Amino acid sequence: MIAFLKFLMRLVQRLIVLAALIALGIWLFYIGREHQVFLDNKTLGDYKALEQVNVSLNGGEISELMSRERDVKKVVGPKFEIKAEIFNDDGEIFKTITKEIKIDELCNFKFSKDIMINLPALAAEAENFIVPAPK
């Protein structure tokens, strides 16, 4: 009887450790997932392409995008911060937008690695500035 209880206790302990390791693996996958973020400065519906915009993700390298250009950046984790500096025709900063984007909340593509941000829609502060990424 005592041997059976020891066996049962050891089995329960091993199952608890196994469940904890599986949960840890899922959590690490979630926070360490790399996403490709396409920065799109093209006309979308009523939002015309911007003449020039400088964009950085998480304070990283700045991408300078002219009208009708697209760039791709990689970010790690379920959220990131985008900072966009929009220039006017004279080459001066007209508007600065800083926004935190949570990929799993704003996007309906939870398990997708790629998203695309339309910069003219972001500059107009539209709610639908995230569009499906190109294939």
Side-chain angles (χ1 to χ4, degrees):
M1 181 71 172
I2 293 176
F4 177 72
L5 288 176
K6 284 183 180 180
F7 168 76
L8 191 58
M9 190 59 112
R10 230 180 275 137
L11 180 66
V12 169
Q13 289 172 345
R14 289 178 181 168
L15 289 175
I16 290 172
V17 169
L18 180 64
L21 288 174
I22 290 172
L24 178 66
I26 291 170
W27 181 70
L28 288 174
F29 171 79
Y30 178 71
I31 66 165
R33 178 124 192 204
E34 184 178 78
H35 300 277
Q36 286 187 357
V37 179
F38 291 88
L39 304 170
D40 185 40
N41 188 15
K42 295 181 181 179
T43 300
L44 176 71
D46 295 337
Y47 308 113
K48 291 197 177 259
L50 305 168
E51 288 299 317
Q52 180 184 353
V53 61
N54 289 350
V55 182
S56 69
L57 302 179
N58 288 333
E61 182 181 334
I62 295 175
S63 294
E64 181 179 318
L65 297 168
M66 303 306 279
S67 181
R68 299 182 347 186
E69 286 186 340
R70 183 181 288 168
D71 194 11
V72 65
K73 297 282 188 180
K74 293 187 180 196
V75 295
V76 176
K79 62 183 176 179
F80 62 93
E81 182 180 87
I82 184 169
K83 180 179 179 185
E85 296 175 333
I86 299 144
F87 290 83
N88 61 12
D89 295 336
D90 298 330
E92 298 173 353
I93 296 176
F94 166 67
K95 186 178 191 181
T96 301
I97 298 172
T98 303
K99 192 169 201 108
E100 184 176 278
I101 297 175
K102 294 181 180 176
I103 294 174
D104 58 345
E105 287 180 10
L106 271 179
C107 309
N108 293 328
F109 338 110
K110 289 187 186 206
F111 293 108
S112 174
K113 288 183 68 175
D114 305 335
I115 64 169
M116 186 162 63
I117 297 175
N118 184 269
L119 297 172
L122 177 69
E125 299 181 15
E127 288 196 25
N128 56 348
F129 63 90
I130 295 181
V131 294
K135 301 284 178 193

